Each structure stands twice: as C-alpha cells, then as structure tokens.
Amino acid sequence: MATNRTFTMLKPDAIENGHIGKILDMINAAGFEIKAMKYTKLTTDQAQKFYEVHAERPFYGELVEYMTSGPIVAAILQKENAVADFRTLIGATDPADAAEGTIRKYYAESKGRNAVHGSDSDENAEIEGKFHFATNEIF
Ligand code: UDP
Ligand code: MG
C-alpha cells in the first residue's frame, strides 16, 4: 500500500485564492485517485508536529503561522509511483523554479505560500496520511 500512495495538503493560500477545484482537477487529470479527503484547519500544535523536521530552520515559525492561517484540504492519493509522480506534478518548492505545467507554477504565490504539499517518501506518505486520517476515513 505504501508505495502507491502519497499525502497532500492544499495549503491556505490555495484555498484563499479559490483554487481548490482547479488543483483537484489537475490531480485527477494526472491519474491520481482520492482515497481520503477532508476540509479542515490545522491547530498550531498539529502544524508544529507536521513540520517538526524543519524546527531548526529559520522559516519554521512563519511556516507554522501560515499553515494555521486558514483552512486546508488534506488528502491521500493513489497512483502507481505516487510519491515521485506527485512531486513532479507539484513542481519545485519555489514557484520561480517550478517547471511549466506544474501546480506550483500555476498557483503558488511564493516559496513559502506555495499552494500544495506533497510527501517526499513512501515512509513519510504513510506517516502523514495517518497523522490526518483515522483508519475508517481511508478507502
Ligand atoms: N518553506 C519556506 N521557505 C523555505 C523552504 C520551505 O517557507 O526556504 C516552506 C514551504 O511552504 C515548503 C515547506 O516549508 O513547502 C516545507 O519545505 P520543504 O523543503 O519540505 O519543501 P517541499 O517538500 O514542500 O517542496
Ligand atoms: Mg518537504
């Protein structure tokens, strides 16, 4: 299961800017199936824990503040080679470096407010999916 699933969040800037539908369209068009989904808002505790790996980085405080500034859409996606293919679909962290046709190229505002999250490994995809969803919310 782990190898064909990834975890994503449509981040607060994407929701604020009205891009939920367009981003989900791109995700479906790229062949990902939605296996879990919720519209929710992270607490400060949740955002700190989710991005714990970045705790020592200078942008951590700002990142937590941004990720708790409004609602997000969290989802588990399935496709062969899901983690790598989704990273390709979202593009580089900084939209200035993101390839044409990627979600971040179209919809990210900046390196910080970059519209979408994608897990970076099968292991993290599983951890992140379980962080957001109970077993009976995953299909
Ligand atoms: N981030 C930031 N400044 C940076 C690097 C990252 O604000 O210099 C934020 C950005 O929202 C990014 C998140 O921290 O998506 C996690 O960083 P990571 O390096 O894991 O990038 P990603 O995997 O999201 O491309
Ligand atoms: Mg990352």
Side-chain angles (χ1 to χ4, degrees):
M1 168 174 145
T3 57
N4 63 358
R5 290 192 175 201
T6 191
F7 172 78
T8 187
M9 292 184 284
L10 311 194
K11 297 183 177 182
D13 63 301
I15 278 68
E16 258 174 55
N17 294 327
H19 293 147
I20 296 176
K22 288 174 189 155
I23 293 173
L24 292 180
D25 244 8
M26 287 181 74
I27 290 172
N28 281 145
F32 292 89
E33 274 180 73
I34 293 165
K35 292 294 171 181
M37 176 168 277
K38 68 173 68 161
Y39 189 57
T40 186
K41 189 171 177 216
L42 298 179
T43 64
T44 298
D45 272 2
Q46 284 176 314
Q48 283 173 339
K49 181 144 190 281
F50 188 87
Y51 285 110
E52 208 163 36
V53 61
H54 296 304
E56 302 308 318
R57 309 279 289 277
F59 58 83
Y60 180 66
E62 209 176 313
L63 175 60
V64 169
E65 204 170 299
Y66 152 61
M67 287 302 297
T68 56
S69 68
I72 61 155
V73 173
I76 294 173
L77 305 174
Q78 180 167 303
K79 181 186 180 294
E80 206 176 297
N81 201 33
V83 167
D85 286 3
F86 194 69
R87 294 293 304 201
T88 301
L89 179 65
I90 69 178
T93 308
D94 186 338
D97 302 327
E100 289 301 330
T102 61
I103 293 173
R104 282 169 167 167
K105 182 71 178 184
Y106 288 135
Y107 300 119
E109 290 180 9
S110 64
K111 191 174 189 180
R113 296 170 59 88
N114 59 4
V116 63
H117 168 82
S119 304
D120 62 8
S121 67
D122 290 341
E123 188 193 0
N124 284 335
E126 186 151 1
I127 292 168
E128 293 172 358
K130 284 184 176 156
F131 183 86
H132 287 271
F133 294 99
T135 310
N136 68 353
E137 295 176 311
I138 302 173
F139 299 92

